[in-house]
């Protein structure tokens, strides 16, 4: 317990003593406070330089201290900058610190003060600062002088993109001052009544002579300005590389980029520094620099290229082995030796690059401007290459370049040299042609030859040798030499057979001979004019097998065609005719037929398009049609006039003329309409004949169809008349309503063929209706009536179209026993008839003898039907006027009777 | 007062050509070429007059280029700053009465001295120019101005006037010190060109006046000869 209390007491005492010490330190100034603070200015750099010392620091003492510096502008309370400056202070040392102001120092007063502390990096919060020094005032304006206006900063140099602050100081507050940047007025900010400042942001390069900024008093002459020099930003050098050509000098090059030079600032400088040797050189040129290779055979180089101007430095580095950067010099002493017809040996030398290096050289051989051979050769000192496969007497050009074979860097420049191969004897015989003429008993032979091509000549042809060998006298040789440019010569020989040898000669030798034989008889000229010759040209292969090369056809001399083709005329119409001469052979003519002329003479004398007027040898004028194709052997002469007289002639033409103008063929064009008439009338006649034959063959049928003997009343046109009057009471008797009692057909007359126009001769047909009832008493067959229905001209309107007489009438008769059947059949007819009756306009009406109570008008039925009389004769049917028909018809309504018509009883 | 240099626009080449033709036209009048007899100072004055006109046109083009090179406001047509830093430049402007009362010797001496100074300044300008083309133009103009100076010296010699000797130490120098700001330097350049232009105008008038003075009326000469005859 006692030990604990002793420890506690000691702790409290220690704590108390520490506190006491602290309070003493705070109450008294630190011994090493800043003192002798001096402030100077650098207007050019807008810098404030501070200089001070530390109070009471022992001479040998070294202390790490921090100084807090405060800068105020215009007034002390306006602090614009606070900075802690840490440094190690030795005894009696003067300390320096600089500060660059954005605002030119001339524009405003600045105040500076500082305090210090021991710099304890571990506990920066617990610094014990000294007292502040007193404010040091910096007022440059006082020293400016008495000029009315100033502009600052003076002639500043900045980089592009910088921000610059400009101010003016005016001595008079009354003056209104305007400031301009390159002639454009600026808007400023007033710092105090006499000072305004202008902030320029991101300034750009305008010109080498700088950007002009000036201020002037509005009502006065005074003008003050500055020039702001804006430099382009210095670029890093690009494409920096070094190489050697001779192992003595390293040549370094680079792209310097843009020039940052100004009127105020020199262009950037370049410095080359090599780190292994520690050497440095200032480059005299903007884009290249030479470096002397160290004699102690330094292999590795580490270069630093530094570009520098007033404002900035930029550096680039390269590290390389010297042997990897060898750019050999161009080969030299290129020579050609042992130049033969097809070979040449090329030799050259390379500049020495030390014994350890092998060069790879590239040789290119040019012939006629094109690369024809390429070779790669390894070379130590001397290069040699045999060029083969060359042509004789040909100029070639060869070039060579070299590079380091082990570490390729760059090819050297080419070195070029020309050479010409030597000549050889011509390789081919000259191509010789001859022309033989007979002149006064002699044979004049003209020889022509083509100059040999360069490849065949193998050199310059100097002359041609012609050896004439008399075949009859083998010993007789004649030699003739013709100098080179000539390509022909003439020989006069007597009329014997000769063999002629022609050779071309250059300085080296003679070509193979071209041999031809002259028969000596010019009369044997096989070719005759006007005869067509066909040639087949054969080549002979190396195996001596002939093969056809070409077929040629020709005339030694063309003659005008001697014959005109035989022309066939066809398709003669009133306006045209066709000419053809298919069998005309163009190949058997005395010249190449190129086409035909068709001459056409007419009285009109006018030529249509496609033809041209031509005057014949007999002064007659005609139209000429030209056919350019010899294969076209047909021609249509058109645009002719009908019923006109024409003459035509077809004649071939060739390069030398046309065929004879012989007899013209005459032709007259036909009438324009006769062909048409024939075309129409003939078919018509034929048709009519055909109809007539048909009519004759089918006369019976026709008669039945169109002219039946007994007309069918239902089909009669009279019905149409009834209908047309729209009289409903007039109708045709409907059989359905008739109840026959007895029908007896006594006799049946076949068609008499009598015309209804002869009523007197007509024999009436009677129907006898047998009484069905007992009450009906009458003397035998007493009811009979004459059918005069069609006695009148009512049949006039009848036609074939109204003949719907049932063709099965005879069979119907057979069925009459059945009244119902009969009724049905008749009803059908009746109804049809009623329907078919059109509204007629005729004044005639057909009135049925039997008034039908059904189909007739029932209202008109008589209330007291007349009593039938025996043997009463039925009224004659007759045509009556329309208005009168009704009453009469009702009179016999009660009588059930019917008129049955047989086919033989139809009249018309 | 003589008219002050108001325009320093680029001269037209036609004008230059016309002046060149005029110079060629008057070449026969040059004493060295004219061997028909002693013609007196007249042709020499005429030649000098023509040369001033030619130089005036040449300067117009040169000044346009140079002031553009300096930038605005110096190339603005209405820029007329106070003549601040250019005090050492010889002034061309003079009171008209004073100018009229000048005797020939003084007139010629003033011209000679002015161009001596201006030529010296102009050479300084040439050394300072940054572009090669501008340097070429300035060098060409300096050569022409040197020719004018020689021509004036020739006139003075013909009239029997001694050439003014430059006092030792008063040779104008072109040495912009560090205190001389770049803006003031540009202003000096501006004033040099402007003063040169004014001097060329004034010289044209000076030599025109001299020319008229040196050519007595032909009628008067005739009368004088007749008087001798009688």
């Amino acid at each position: 317990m006692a030990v604990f209390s002793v420890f506690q007491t000691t702790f409290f005492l220690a704590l108390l003593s520490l506190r006491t010490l602290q309070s003493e330190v705070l109450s008294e100034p630190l011994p090493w406070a800043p003192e002798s603070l001096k402030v100077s200015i650098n207007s050019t750099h807008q810098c404030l330089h501070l200089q001070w010392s530390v109070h009471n620091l022992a001479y040998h003492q070294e202390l790490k201290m921090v100084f807090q510096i405060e800068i105020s502008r215009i007034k002390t309370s306006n602090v614009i900058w606070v900075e802690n400056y840490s440094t190690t202070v030795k005894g009696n040392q003067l300390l320096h610190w600089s500060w660059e102001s954005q605002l030119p120092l001339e524009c405003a007063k600045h105040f500076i003060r500082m305090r210090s502390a021991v710099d304890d990096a571990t506990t920066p919060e617990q610094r014990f600062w000294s007292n502040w020094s007193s404010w040091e005032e910096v007022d440059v304006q006082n020293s400016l002088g008495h000029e009315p206006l100033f502009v600052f900063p003076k002639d500043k140099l900045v980089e592009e993109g910088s921000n610059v602050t400009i101010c003016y100081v005016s001595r008079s507050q009354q003056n209104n001052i305007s400031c301009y940047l390159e002639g454009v007025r600026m808007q400023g900010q007033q710092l105090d009544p006499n000072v305004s400042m202008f902030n320029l942001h991101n300034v750009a390069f305008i010109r080498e002579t700088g950007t002009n900024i000036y201020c002037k008093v509005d009502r006065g002459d005074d003008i003050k300005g500055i020039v702001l020099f804006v430099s382009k930003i210095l670029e890093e050098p690009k494409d920096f590389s070094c190489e050697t050509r001779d192992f003595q000098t390293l040549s370094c090059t680079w792209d310097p980029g843009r020039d940052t030079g100004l009127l105020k600032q020199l262009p950037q400088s370049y410095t080359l520094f090599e780190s292994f040797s520690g050497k440095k050189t200032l480059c005299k040129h903007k884009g290249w620099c030479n470096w002397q290779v160290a004699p102690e055979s330094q292999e590795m180089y580490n270069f630093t290229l530094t570009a520098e101007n007033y404002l900035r430095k930029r550096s680039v580095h390269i590290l390389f082995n010297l042997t990897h950067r060898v750019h050999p010099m161009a080969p030299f002493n290129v020579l050609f030796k042992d130049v033969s017809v097809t070979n040449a040996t090329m030799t050259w030398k390379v500049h020495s690059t030390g014994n350890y290096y092998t060069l790879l050289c590239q040789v290119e051989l040019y012939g006629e401007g094109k690369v024809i051979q390429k070779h790669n050769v390894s070379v130590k000192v001397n290069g040699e290459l045999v060029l083969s496969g060359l042509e004789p007497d040909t100029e070639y050009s060869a070039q060579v370049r070299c590079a380091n074979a082990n570490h390729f860097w760059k090819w050297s420049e080419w070195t070029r040299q020309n050479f010409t191969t030597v000549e050889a004897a011509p390789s081919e015989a000259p191509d010789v042609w001859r022309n033989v003429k007979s002149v006064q008993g002699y044979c004049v032979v003209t020889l022509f030859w083509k100059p040999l091509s360069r490849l065949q000549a193998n050199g310059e042809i100097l002359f041609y040798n012609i050896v004439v060998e008399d075949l009859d006298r083998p010993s007789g040789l004649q030699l003739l030499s013709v100098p080179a440019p000539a390509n022909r010569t003439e020989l006069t020989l007597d009329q014997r057979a000769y063999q002629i040898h022609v050779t071309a000669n250059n300085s080296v030798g003679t070509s193979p001979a071209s041999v031809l034989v002259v028969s000596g008889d010019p009369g044997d000229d096989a070719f005759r004019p006007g005869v067509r010759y066909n040639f087949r040209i054969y080549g002979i292969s190396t195996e001596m097998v002939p093969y056809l090369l070409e077929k040629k056809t020709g005339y030694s001399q063309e003659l005008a065609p001697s014959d005109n083709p035989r022309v066939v005329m066809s398709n003669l119409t009133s306006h045209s005719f066709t000419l053809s001469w298919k069998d005309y052979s163009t190949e058997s003519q005395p010249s190449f037929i190129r086409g035909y002329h068709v001459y056409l003479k007419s009285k009109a004398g006018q030529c249509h398009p496609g033809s041209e007027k031509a005057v014949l040898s007999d002064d007659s004028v005609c139209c000429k049609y030209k056919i350019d194709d010899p294969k076209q052997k047909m021609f249509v002469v058109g645009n002719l006039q009908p019923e006109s007289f024409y003459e035509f002639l077809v004649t071939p033409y060739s390069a030398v003329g046309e065929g004879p103008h012989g007899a013209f063929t005459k032709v007259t064009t036909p009438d324009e309409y006769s062909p048409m008439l024939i075309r129409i009338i003939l078919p018509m006649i034929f048709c009519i004949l055909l109809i007539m034959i048909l009519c004759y063959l089918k006369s019976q049928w026709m008669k039945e169809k169109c002219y039946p003997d007994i007309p069918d009343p239902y089909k009669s046109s009279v019905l149409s008349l009834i209908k047309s009057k729209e009289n409903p009471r007039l109708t045709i008797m409907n059989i359905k309503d008739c109840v026959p009692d007895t029908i007896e057909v006594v006799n049946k007359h076949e068609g008499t063929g009598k015309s209804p126009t002869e009523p007197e001769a007509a024999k009436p047909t009677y129907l006898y209706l047998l009484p069905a009832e007992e009450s009906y008493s009458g003397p035998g067959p007493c009811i009979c009536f004459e059918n005069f229905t069609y006695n009148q001209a009512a049949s006039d309107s009848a036609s074939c179209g109204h003949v719907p007489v049932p063709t099965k009438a005879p069979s119907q008769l057979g069925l009459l026993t059945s009244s119902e059947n009969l009724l049905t059949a008749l009803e059908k007819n009746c109804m049809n008839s009623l329907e078919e009756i059109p509204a007629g306009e005729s004044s005639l009406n057909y009135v049925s003898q039997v008034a039908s109570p059904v189909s007739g008008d029932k209202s008109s039925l008589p209330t007291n039907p007349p009593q039938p009389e025996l043997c009463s004769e039925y009224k004659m049917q007759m045509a009556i006027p329309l208005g009168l028909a009704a009453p009469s018809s009702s009179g016999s309504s009660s009588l059930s009777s019917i008129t049955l018509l047989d086919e033989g009883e139809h009249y018309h | 007062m003589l008219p002050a240099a108001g325009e320093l626009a680029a001269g037209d080449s036609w004008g230059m050509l016309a002046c060149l033709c005029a110079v060629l036209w008057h070449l026969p009048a040059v004493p060295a070429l004219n061997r028909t007899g002693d013609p007196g100072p007249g042709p020499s004055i005429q030649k000098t007059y023509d040369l001033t006109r030619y130089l005036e046109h040449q300067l117009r083009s040169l000044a346009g280029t140079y002031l553009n090179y300096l930038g605005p406001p110096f190339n603005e047509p209405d820029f007329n700053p106070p003549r601040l830093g250019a005090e050492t430049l010889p002034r061309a402007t003079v009171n008209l009465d004073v100018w009229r009362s000048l005797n020939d010797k003084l007139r010629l001496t003033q011209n000679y001295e002015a161009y001596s100074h201006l030529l010296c300044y102009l050479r300084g300008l040439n050394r300072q120019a940054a572009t090669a083309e501008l340097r070429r133009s300035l060098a060409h103009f300096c050569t022409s101005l040197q020719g004018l100076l020689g021509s004036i010296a020739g006139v003075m010699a013909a009239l029997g006037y001694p050439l003014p000797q430059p006092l030792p130490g008063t040779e104008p120098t072109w040495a912009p010190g560090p205190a001389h700001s770049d803006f003031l330097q540009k202003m000096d350049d501006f004033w040099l060109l402007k003063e040169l232009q004014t001097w060329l105008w004034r010289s044209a008038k000076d030599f025109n006046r001299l020319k008229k003075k040196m050519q007595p009326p032909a009628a008067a000469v005739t009368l004088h000869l007749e008087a001798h005859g009688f």
Side-chain angles (χ1 to χ4, degrees), chain A residues 882-904:
Chain A
L882 197 60
L884 304 172
S888 62
S889 65
S890 61
S892 59
S893 61
S894 60
L895 189 65
S896 300
S897 63
I898 191 167
T899 305
L900 292 177
L901 304 173
D902 203 355
E903 77 181 338

Side-chain angles (χ1 to χ4, degrees), chain A residues 154-156 182-184 207-215 221-227 229 262-264, chain B residues 68-76 79-82 84 128-131 179-184 186-187:
Chain A
K154 277 189 177 175
D155 308 334
K156 196 175 170 68
E182 288 287 308
V184 179
R207 68 179 76 79
E208 289 158 348
T209 54
T211 306
N212 302 321
I213 297 156
Y214 68 99
C215 299
D221 284 344
D222 206 5
I223 177 169
K224 284 290 163 60
I226 58 160
V227 179
F229 290 96
L262 293 170
L263 193 64
K264 186 86 173 174
Chain B
N68 279 333
Y69 164 75
L70 295 182
F74 302 101
N75 58 354
E76 288 167 0
F79 182 63
N80 192 21
L84 281 178
Q128 195 191 11
T131 67
H180 206 66
S181 81
D182 289 300
F183 192 80
L184 281 178
K186 286 188 177 186
M187 201 89 100

Side-chain angles (χ1 to χ4, degrees), chain A residues 13-31:
Chain A
L13 280 172
L15 194 68
L16 189 66
S17 63
L18 186 66
R19 277 185 160 276
T20 311
L21 184 67
Q22 274 192 340
S23 64
E24 279 176 4
V25 168
L26 288 172
S27 60
E28 287 185 11
L30 273 171

Side-chain angles (χ1 to χ4, degrees), chain A residues 557-573:
Chain A
Q557 186 188 347
E558 283 187 290
L559 298 178
S562 54
D563 299 319
N564 289 338
R566 281 198 308 137
V567 180
V568 177
M569 189 189 72
S570 58
N571 295 345
L572 176 65
T573 67

Side-chain angles (χ1 to χ4, degrees), chain A residues 214-457:
Chain A
Y214 68 99
C215 299
K216 64 177 186 181
V217 181
D218 282 354
R219 289 177 188 170
D221 284 344
D222 206 5
I223 177 169
K224 284 290 163 60
I226 58 160
V227 179
L228 179 68
F229 290 96
V230 182
S231 162
K232 290 175 187 165
I233 295 172
L234 180 64
E235 288 178 319
E236 194 174 79
K238 292 186 277 286
D239 306 328
F240 177 42
S241 91
C242 297
E243 65 183 27
T244 183
R245 306 206 70 165
D246 53 5
F247 284 88
Q248 290 178 1
T249 307
L250 263 169
S251 174
C252 297
T253 57
W254 62 90
D255 174 9
R258 58 191 172 198
D259 192 353
T260 63
L262 293 170
L263 193 64
K264 186 86 173 174
Q265 173 186 264
L266 290 171
Q268 65 268 28
S269 64
Y270 291 91
T271 313
L272 204 56
F273 173 68
E274 202 284 305
S275 64
F276 293 120
S277 62
K279 288 181 183 170
K280 193 176 188 178
T281 183
L282 181 66
C283 298
K284 291 175 187 169
H285 306 280
K286 208 173 151 190
W288 60 275
C289 206
N290 281 339
W291 182 271
Q292 289 304 313
V293 171
E296 58 269 18
S297 67
Q298 176 189 353
E299 278 207 355
M300 293 303 295
Y301 287 81
N302 185 9
F303 277 110
T304 301
L305 175 71
T306 306
E308 185 176 0
N309 67 7
Y310 187 78
L311 298 161
R312 196 184 278 265
K313 265 188 187 181
R314 305 294 292 263
S315 293
V316 283
H317 310 272
I318 48 167
L319 173 68
F320 60 87
N321 188 325
L322 184 67
T323 58
H324 297 183
R325 301 293 173 99
V326 180
H327 182 189
M329 308 270 267
F332 64 103
N333 219 2
V334 176
L335 297 170
F336 295 94
K337 60 180 185 183
D338 304 334
V339 179
S340 70
V341 174
T342 56
N343 293 325
T345 304
M346 178 182 178
T347 62
W348 66 94
K349 288 184 177 173
V350 292
H351 291 88
S352 172
T353 55
N355 293 329
Y356 306 107
Y357 308 113
T358 307
L359 290 179
L360 173 71
C361 293
Q362 198 173 52
V363 177
E364 283 183 353
L365 180 68
Y366 281 77
E368 293 180 339
K370 285 184 278 188
V371 179
I372 51 175
Q373 288 182 21
K374 266 190 179 182
H375 303 276
N376 287 331
V377 188
S378 242
V379 175
K380 279 275 186 187
V381 179
N382 295 319
E384 185 171 314
L385 175 69
V386 176
L387 298 165
S388 56
L390 309 177
E391 298 288 342
D393 188 39
T394 305
E395 189 178 12
Y396 291 96
S397 172
Q399 59 179 14
V400 58
R401 63 178 181 178
C402 300
N404 188 352
N406 303 320
H407 300 283
F408 180 86
W409 171 244
K410 275 181 190 172
W411 286 110
S412 71
E413 296 79 19
W414 289 103
T415 303
R416 185 182 271 251
Q417 194 69 40
N418 293 350
F419 70 99
T420 305
T421 50
V422 297
E423 290 187 4
S427 59
E428 297 280 333
D431 189 1
V432 181
W433 293 74
R434 64 165 185 186
N435 188 16
V436 183
K437 281 182 194 167
S438 178
V439 179
Q440 296 174 348
Y442 285 96
C443 220
V444 178
V445 180
T446 311
L447 297 173
F448 304 90
W449 55 87
K450 283 198 240 175
L452 291 175
S453 70
R454 202 182 57 78
L455 281 176
Q456 294 167 336

